[in-house]
Amino acid sequence: MSMTAERSVFYISDGTAITAEVLGHAVMSQFPVMTNSFTLPFVENVQRAQAVKAQINAIYQQSGLRPLVFFSIVLPEVRDVILQSDGFCQDIVQALVAPLQQELGMAPAPVAHRTHGLTASNLGKYDARIAAIDYTLAHDDGISLRGLDEAQVILLGVSRCGKTPTSLYLAMQFGVRAANYPFIADDMDNLKLPPALKPLQHKLFGLTIDPERLAAIRQERAENTRYASMRQCRLEVGEVEALFRSHQIPYLNSTNYSVEEIATKILDIMGLNRRMY
Amino acid sequence: MSMTAERSVFYISDGTAITAEVLGHAVMSQFPVMTNSFTLPFVENVQRAQAVKAQINAIYQQSGLRPLVFFSIVLPEVRDVILQSDGFCQDIVQALVAPLQQELGMAPAPVAHRTHGLTASNLGKYDARIAAIDYTLAHDDGISLRGLDEAQVILLGVSRCGKTPTSLYLAMQFGVRAANYPFIADDMDNLKLPPALKPLQHKLFGLTIDPERLAAIRQERAENTRYASMRQCRLEVGEVEALFRSHQIPYLNSTNYSVEEIATKILDIMGLNRRMY
């Protein structure tokens, strides 16, 4: 038995377990307990479920503490194996289905719902998502200005302010065709909006970043260069922010936000349709 | 009032609303109802919450059906505004916190938990994630064989079988440095494992795909070419699968799986650590 009495937490699903993990983690963060977590995806059949049950029970035997189990499994015979374990089991979807049943006045008709699944009915949408990723890669970092009018959003900013990860996340998570265009040091003497972007003004979105954070990021890649100097970072950020303001380009400081947050804010501000995959 | 009596569903959060949307969608898919959904992220203050409440109430007035509201908001004064709306409100995190409170024998200590947030405490981990994205982009499609030994996994497969989206998803969602290497038509006469990959055999993972699906994908890009022909697709897939088998490289047929599923299976099969962001 461990001295710190860490509580074991399982995130189990017949799919990717991404939702069980994210939600379970949000729930656990509300309690001041030390945890040791296991994510077990693709628990799709009785055999695998029995192995998981044995793992849960073994931890209970060793620690004397019931493992906490957040799960989502559609097949009743697989789900039942998990429910028969010694864990404290919570079905993350059913917890919300029960109250809804009353409100809707109808019984649930459980379907094999694969949250992150690929089926004949969503194949076209999936292809559009992959096409968005292709487009975004082809228009990363100003690689190609051709077909820029097909972009749904064009991110502008200095090198290493987060344009590429944000573009890719927009494409990956939301199926948005996101191009990005970098302003480089040579542009800074007389920073102007490139002529190719002027007719696309309504698609432009700026990213900025605190010069201190920018310098730290650049130092990681190119230590002791002008590129990574505080002076240069301050200059570039100042120029680019002035450009955003003078052209009334909406912009966001990425310093304290993750790609998820930046991407979601961009959709919100630009009024872009949010597709779910 | 609309003839079809669609039920309005809101996914609301003080963060990205990604979790509320994914979980709420899974719950709703259990019921045979037509829905019309709204995702409202960053409902962080009372003022915005009041606007949301007005929107919910207006829909109730017009339709006579209570909108369903799946939400996750930490600040009590913001949450209360939503709870006072005419919607049928379900707090997706609290639904699981309550039963856990009893099991853990302690009260929750609500913290401003940003599921997809960036804070001082996870900044290092976040930087590692961005570094993984950089690495993956630099090692996409066999662009660079330098530094391939730093990859955590190297995906192999024919053109358009899903290597690039899967690599990017592995980097983006799990912070995994994922390289990928394409086998091209010219390789097929005498398909061999490239010498540079031999010492990295334990990191190799193959992707394959049904020739019919591959041909359909390639037709979209290069109609009526040899590259997109059924004959060529069948040849390439056959050769590559034979190579995977002869070298005992684990592989997966991507045809019926989304990038989320493929990426999660790869982590599972390769025993790679699954980090959460």
Side-chain angles (χ1 to χ4, degrees):
Chain A
M1 200 182 298
S2 77
M3 295 294 288
T4 51
E6 273 186 351
R7 195 80 177 220
S8 292
V9 185
F10 286 80
Y11 307 114
I12 302 172
S13 166
D14 49 12
T16 63
I18 293 172
T19 308
E21 193 176 55
V22 169
L23 185 70
H25 197 257
V27 172
M28 289 311 301
S29 74
Q30 307 286 308
F31 294 97
V33 285
M34 298 279 289
T35 59
N36 182 23
S37 64
F38 304 87
T39 301
L40 306 178
F42 306 112
V43 180
E44 295 167 293
N45 56 53
V46 168
Q47 198 185 351
R48 182 139 188 194
Q50 277 164 344
V52 171
K53 178 184 165 187
Q55 191 181 348
I56 293 168
N57 292 356
I59 289 179
Y60 180 48
Q61 288 297 317
Q62 285 160 30
S63 68
L65 286 170
R66 291 171 83 181
L68 308 176
V69 178
F70 296 91
F71 75 101
S72 173
I73 293 173
V74 170
L75 284 179
E77 63 269 31
V78 182
R79 187 167 53 199
D80 286 349
V81 175
I82 302 300
L83 285 169
Q84 286 154 17
S85 76
D86 293 331
F88 180 77
C89 298
Q90 300 210 84
D91 186 323
I92 61 165
V93 175
Q94 286 307 315
L96 294 170
V97 165
L100 214 60
Q101 185 167 351
Q102 214 172 353
E103 170 66 16
L104 289 172
M106 62 173 78
V111 285
H113 175 71
R114 287 158 61 200
T115 290
H116 296 103
L118 184 62
T119 59
S121 69
N122 67 13
L123 190 58
K125 199 171 139 189
Y126 188 75
D127 286 345
R129 177 190 192 188
I130 299 299
I133 296 170
D134 287 341
Y135 179 89
T136 296
L137 280 175
H139 295 84
D140 181 38
D141 219 18
I143 292 173
S144 171
L145 294 178
R146 285 208 319 193
L148 214 53
D149 51 326
E150 290 169 36
Q152 295 172 269
V153 63
I154 302 166
L155 303 184
L156 307 177
V158 302
S159 166
R160 307 303 301 176
C161 70
K163 296 183 303 301
T164 295
T166 303
S167 306
L168 287 171
Y169 192 84
L170 281 165
M172 182 77 76
Q173 181 82 9
F174 300 116
V176 166
R177 294 185 304 282
N180 72 73
Y181 184 91
F183 292 119
I184 58 173
D186 293 347
D187 298 333
M188 295 299 155
D189 285 339
N190 182 15
L191 191 62
K192 285 184 178 159
L193 200 59
L197 298 181
K198 281 197 181 154
L200 304 168
Q201 167 106 28
H202 57 294
K203 296 183 174 183
L204 304 181
F205 190 96
L207 285 184
T208 185
I209 184 169
D210 291 352
E212 294 72 19
R213 170 89 173 124
L214 182 62
I217 293 170
R218 289 184 172 184
Q219 286 289 346
E220 285 289 312
R221 293 169 69 95
E223 217 176 342
N224 298 327
T225 56
R226 186 173 80 107
Y227 168 77
S229 68
M230 261 309 296
R231 186 183 164 172
Q232 179 67 18
C233 290
R234 224 179 264 131
L235 168 82
E236 291 186 21
V237 168
E239 290 291 322
V240 166
E241 289 186 3
L243 180 85
F244 294 156
R245 282 192 295 267
S246 69
H247 285 80
Q248 294 172 295
I249 296 167
Y251 69 98
L252 188 71
N253 184 321
S254 69
T255 308
N256 296 306
Y257 296 115
S258 69
V259 284
E260 282 84 354
E261 292 174 318
I262 301 168
T264 315
K265 280 176 192 282
I266 290 171
L267 292 187
D268 204 33
I269 294 167
M270 300 297 276
L272 286 168
N273 189 17
R274 182 166 164 158
R275 304 180 72 162
M276 239 188 65
Y277 292 95
Chain B
M1 200 182 296
S2 77
M3 294 294 289
T4 52
E6 273 184 351
R7 195 80 177 217
S8 292
V9 185
F10 285 81
Y11 307 114
I12 302 172
S13 166
D14 50 11
T16 64
I18 293 171
T19 308
E21 191 176 56
V22 169
L23 185 72
H25 197 256
V27 171
M28 289 312 299
S29 74
Q30 307 286 308
F31 294 98
V33 284
M34 297 282 286
T35 59
N36 181 25
S37 63
F38 305 86
T39 301
L40 306 178
F42 306 112
V43 180
E44 297 168 291
N45 55 54
V46 168
Q47 197 186 352
R48 182 140 185 191
Q50 277 164 342
V52 171
K53 178 184 164 186
Q55 191 181 348
I56 294 168
N57 292 357
I59 289 180
Y60 180 48
Q61 288 298 320
Q62 284 159 27
S63 69
L65 286 169
R66 288 173 83 181
L68 308 176
V69 178
F70 297 91
F71 74 100
S72 173
I73 292 173
V74 170
L75 285 179
E77 64 270 31
V78 181
R79 188 167 52 201
D80 286 349
V81 176
I82 302 299
L83 285 169
Q84 286 155 14
S85 76
D86 293 332
F88 180 76
C89 298
Q90 299 211 84
D91 185 322
I92 61 166
V93 174
Q94 287 306 314
L96 294 169
V97 164
L100 213 60
Q101 183 167 354
Q102 212 171 356
E103 170 66 16
L104 289 172
M106 61 174 78
V111 284
H113 175 71
R114 284 160 61 201
T115 290
H116 296 104
L118 183 62
T119 59
S121 69
N122 68 12
L123 191 58
K125 199 170 138 190
Y126 188 76
D127 285 345
R129 177 191 194 188
I130 299 299
I133 296 171
D134 287 341
Y135 179 90
T136 295
L137 279 175
H139 294 85
D140 180 40
D141 219 19
I143 292 172
S144 170
L145 295 176
R146 284 207 320 194
L148 215 52
D149 51 325
E150 290 169 36
Q152 293 172 271
V153 63
I154 302 167
L155 303 183
L156 307 177
V158 302
S159 164
R160 307 302 301 176
C161 71
K163 298 183 302 300
T164 295
T166 304
S167 305
L168 287 171
Y169 193 83
L170 281 165
M172 182 76 76
Q173 181 84 8
F174 300 116
V176 166
R177 293 185 304 282
N180 72 72
Y181 184 91
F183 293 120
I184 58 171
D186 293 347
D187 299 333
M188 295 299 156
D189 285 340
N190 181 17
L191 191 62
K192 285 182 177 157
L193 200 59
L197 297 181
K198 281 196 181 155
L200 305 168
Q201 167 107 30
H202 57 291
K203 296 183 175 182
L204 303 181
F205 190 96
L207 284 184
T208 184
I209 184 169
D210 291 351
E212 294 72 19
R213 170 92 171 122
L214 181 61
I217 293 170
R218 289 184 173 183
Q219 286 288 347
E220 285 288 315
R221 292 170 69 95
E223 216 176 342
N224 299 327
T225 56
R226 186 173 79 107
Y227 167 77
S229 69
M230 262 309 297
R231 189 185 162 169
Q232 179 66 20
C233 291
R234 226 179 259 131
L235 169 82
E236 291 186 22
V237 168
E239 290 291 322
V240 166
E241 289 186 3
L243 179 86
F244 294 156
R245 283 191 294 267
S246 69
H247 285 79
Q248 295 173 293
I249 295 167
Y251 70 98
L252 188 71
N253 184 321
S254 68
T255 309
N256 297 306
Y257 295 116
S258 69
V259 285
E260 281 85 354
E261 292 174 318
I262 301 167
T264 315
K265 279 175 191 281
I266 290 171
L267 291 187
D268 203 34
I269 294 168
M270 301 298 275
L272 287 168
N273 189 17
R274 182 166 164 157
R275 304 180 73 164
M276 238 188 67
Y277 293 96

